[in-house]
Amino acid sequence: MNNDRKAQYAFGMVGLGTMGRNLLLNMADNGFAVTGYDKSEKMLQFFEEEGKDHNLKGFADINDFVASLQSPRTIILLVPAGAIVDSVILELQPLLDKGDIIIDSGNSHFTDTSRRAVELKEKGIHFFGMGISGGEEGARFGPSMMPGGDKQAYAVVKEMLEAVSAKVNGEPCVTYIGPGASGHFVKMTHNGIEYAIMQLLAETYEILKNGLGYNNEQIQQVFEKWNNGRLKSFLMEITKDVFLFKDVKTGNLLVDEIKDEAKSKGTGKWTSQVAMDIEMPIPTIDAAVSTRNLSKLKKLRVQLNDAFGSSTKINANEDFIADLEEAFYFAMAGAYAQGMHLLWQASIQYEYELNLAEIAKIWRGGCIIRAEFLEDIYQAYKKQANLEHLFADANVQQKIKQSLKGTRNVISAAIQAGIAIPCYAAALTYFDTLKTGRMPSNLTQAQRDFFGAHTFERIDSEGVFHADWNQKKI
Ligand code: 6PG
């Protein structure tokens, strides 16, 4: 126990960068006594300046920092994912007691979180992997948080997390996610969906700009109108604002001055990798990850553009923008559905005991993928906790059906014009495949058996079979 008189702070933060500072200030705003640790004098200075009206303190010495915390100590890490998390844990561990809690709030890979949780459990320390979404603004004024770890230890942090989280209809955007690394798995999947929605917005921009010849102001107006309807979302909202933002350097619209090469930190890639590992199809998310990689092939793209030429204009009728709204709705629904399906399977595979309704509920506010549509997702899983796929929900089904005609019109027109729409196309072919009662995969099995004697199953009898295909030629 740590009953030292100095032990006056309820929560500690390691890492006083922008996210760490903002989250601590948010905690202080909510009446919690907080302390921070950072090796950088500059970060400590920022922290104390920004928090001068609150009950908080910053330390450059880890011993003093740990000694200032009440028991059981709760320490949040907001440091870059990877080796730094391990080295911070190594530093902290000898200073902690049984029952203390470490919460890693970076975007750590869930397998690292599993390993760390097991290692720390041996020492009696509770380790949580807690995804936080919402960027700087979210951390300061209310993020969506996805904590996974020991359920009993969660009771220690529940009140604080609920206080600092975003609220939707008065309900906090945080919930106990599940055991082990479930919190980081759910955050990773959130980011996979984030990649897909961002790419869908980029493809929509491409259709409007190069397919229809719209200028930035006109594109802004389309997105603004959509953001007042069922497509309302954080990403739609910020995207519309991007189109009117002036560059201080040139006076032009900044979006036109930015290189067409997208970077990434890896969470989207991890989502696709894991989905492949557990054999869950998430092609819209995969397409978004691949498209970021395609964007990096600038030189080759320019060379091939010279060889094959550019896309052409779309011959749009008066309903085209309405159809495009339907197409966005359809593809967006597909991206969320794929992410939720991945979570459904991961819950079984890794015994995460995920409550998909609660996850959709806490994504309605604070996070990057917050959107009007999450209310439909929440209601679908609330009605049916074991719903395998979002498209099996009657309400979503009806809305998807209504958007299909417009979706097919837009996708055919874009493909005809040679406009690249990897995520839109993936969303539609995913849907068409998923609703195919009998796929042509019987042929794949026949081929595998033909060249590799891998056997096949028959529709009329149990068991596995092999044919001597060379003998059976007609
Ligand atoms: C969030 C974001 C956040 C971060 C992404 C960016 O939920 O607040 O997802 O975690 O901005 O990691 O990811 P990329 O750099 O890979 O685009």
Side-chain angles (χ1 to χ4, degrees):
M1 292 290 280
N2 180 24
N3 293 322
D4 194 307
R5 265 187 42 238
K6 286 189 296 180
Q8 52 182 309
Y9 297 101
F11 300 99
M13 173 80 66
V14 174
L16 297 178
T18 321
M19 287 293 287
R21 284 203 316 275
N22 280 312
L23 192 61
L24 270 188
L25 290 168
N26 181 355
M27 286 156 69
D29 278 349
N30 280 282
F32 297 97
V34 292
T35 175
Y37 164 70
D38 202 300
K39 282 184 179 138
S40 153
E41 278 300 329
K42 205 171 104 191
M43 293 302 161
L44 284 164
Q45 237 173 34
F46 282 155
F47 175 54
E48 296 210 342
E49 268 163 35
E50 288 168 10
K52 60 181 181 307
D53 301 328
H54 293 93
N55 179 18
L56 45 75
K57 186 162 174 60
F59 291 96
D61 182 299
I62 198 158
N63 293 287
D64 294 343
F65 163 71
V66 172
S68 77
L69 285 164
Q70 292 161 356
S71 246
R73 303 182 187 89
T74 304
I75 299 174
I76 302 173
L77 315 185
L78 255 167
V79 297
I84 298 182
V85 176
D86 287 310
S87 68
V88 171
I89 292 173
L90 213 62
E91 261 191 285
L92 280 172
Q93 210 180 277
L95 309 175
L96 300 183
D97 293 321
K98 278 199 166 71
D100 286 350
I101 302 168
I102 299 179
I103 306 177
D104 172 19
S105 295
N107 278 330
S108 291
H109 196 284
F110 76 102
T111 54
D112 284 335
T113 304
S114 299
R115 170 180 56 79
R116 289 165 186 150
V118 170
E119 286 166 6
L120 286 163
K121 197 175 175 190
E122 285 167 16
K123 315 240 165 0
I125 296 166
H126 301 295
F127 186 70
F128 276 78
M130 180 172 81
I132 298 190
S133 181
E136 250 178 78
E137 187 85 358
R140 183 70 185 86
F141 300 108
S144 175
M145 291 178 283
M146 293 145 254
D150 183 85
K151 196 167 188 177
Q152 274 175 336
Y154 183 68
V156 177
V157 290
K158 183 174 187 274
E159 188 198 337
M160 181 276 287
L161 293 179
E162 289 185 353
V164 303
S165 74
K167 310 285 179 304
V168 171
N169 307 329
E171 295 182 292
C173 293
V174 63
T175 188
Y176 172 71
I177 296 289
S182 57
H184 273 148
F185 193 98
V186 169
K187 175 61 181 14
M188 175 196 74
T189 305
H190 164 285
N191 281 28
I193 299 170
E194 173 185 304
Y195 273 52
I197 308 292
M198 288 170 71
Q199 177 58 27
L200 282 168
L201 286 162
E203 291 171 22
T204 310
Y205 162 51
E206 179 75 352
I207 290 172
L208 292 169
K209 181 183 169 194
N210 289 326
L212 303 186
Y214 278 28
N215 62 30
N216 287 323
E217 284 79 4
Q218 290 169 309
I219 298 170
Q220 190 274 345
Q221 281 162 19
V222 171
F223 282 20
E224 171 144 49
K225 185 160 175 239
W226 289 355
N227 198 46
N228 289 323
R230 63 179 178 163
L231 298 187
K232 185 173 169 55
S233 69
F234 170 74
L235 283 169
M236 183 69 77
E237 186 185 324
I238 61 156
T239 307
K240 76 173 168 46
D241 292 342
V242 164
F243 291 109
L244 296 187
F245 191 88
K246 283 253 175 67
D247 175 27
V248 279
K249 188 173 169 196
T250 58
N252 299 332
L253 291 169
L254 182 58
V255 68
D256 296 326
E257 305 297 320
I258 299 176
K259 282 190 182 178
D260 61 337
E261 293 171 64
K263 304 275 189 290
S264 43
K265 288 203 195 105
T267 44
K269 178 183 78 178
W270 296 345
T271 313
S272 288
Q273 284 174 328
V274 173
M276 289 286 174
D277 287 343
I278 65 171
E279 300 182 0
M280 284 308 281
I282 54 162
T284 311
I285 295 171
D286 298 338
V289 176
S290 292
T291 307
R292 287 209 193 178
N293 293 334
L294 273 159
S295 82
K296 291 168 194 150
L297 306 177
K298 177 72 177 178
K299 213 170 121 223
L300 181 62
R301 287 192 286 114
V302 171
Q303 185 190 337
L304 296 182
N305 183 236
D306 290 344
F308 293 105
S310 302
S311 59
T312 58
K313 287 271 172 301
I314 289 173
N315 195 3
N317 64 20
E318 58 194 14
D319 295 330
F320 192 83
I321 297 294
D323 284 351
L324 189 54
E325 195 264 357
E326 303 276 14
F328 189 91
Y329 179 83
F330 174 88
M332 169 196 71
Y336 283 101
Q338 290 168 27
M340 297 307 285
H341 200 200
L342 176 62
L343 292 181
W344 180 84
Q345 180 63 24
S347 187
I348 299 167
Q349 190 102 5
Y350 303 115
E351 298 177 351
Y352 282 156
E353 299 157 33
L354 299 180
N355 181 332
L356 298 186
E358 283 292 298
I359 292 168
K361 186 176 161 193
I362 65 158
W363 282 352
R364 293 177 310 166
C367 67
I368 303 295
I369 63 166
R370 62 186 186 258
E372 200 83 350
F373 184 58
L374 271 158
E375 187 61 37
D376 281 337
I377 305 179
Y378 170 46
Q379 294 302 335
Y381 289 98
K382 203 167 128 187
K383 249 186 294 165
Q384 241 181 297
N386 290 325
L387 185 69
E388 178 178 352
H389 197 282
L390 189 61
F391 289 177
D393 173 73
N395 171 46
V396 173
Q397 238 167 47
Q398 192 206 356
K399 292 179 177 177
I400 290 292
K401 272 185 194 157
Q402 283 166 0
S403 66
L404 259 177
K405 190 167 169 279
T407 302
R408 292 197 193 281
N409 286 346
V410 165
I411 291 180
S412 329
I415 286 178
Q416 202 60 44
I419 293 172
I421 46 160
C423 273
Y424 272 115
L428 185 56
T429 51
Y430 166 79
F431 169 80
D432 282 336
T433 310
L434 205 54
K435 69 169 187 61
T436 300
R438 180 164 165 84
M439 284 171 59
S441 311
N442 49 328
L443 182 62
T444 314
Q445 275 306 92
Q447 291 160 330
R448 291 181 71 244
D449 190 52
F450 197 133
F451 62 67
H454 296 298
T455 73
F456 54 84
E457 290 165 299
R458 297 184 59 97
I459 54 173
D460 56 1
S461 356
E462 288 293 312
V464 288
F465 299 87
H466 169 62
D468 187 359
W469 295 94
N470 284 309
Q471 297 298 311
K472 302 269 167 69
K473 270 190 279 193
I474 298 167

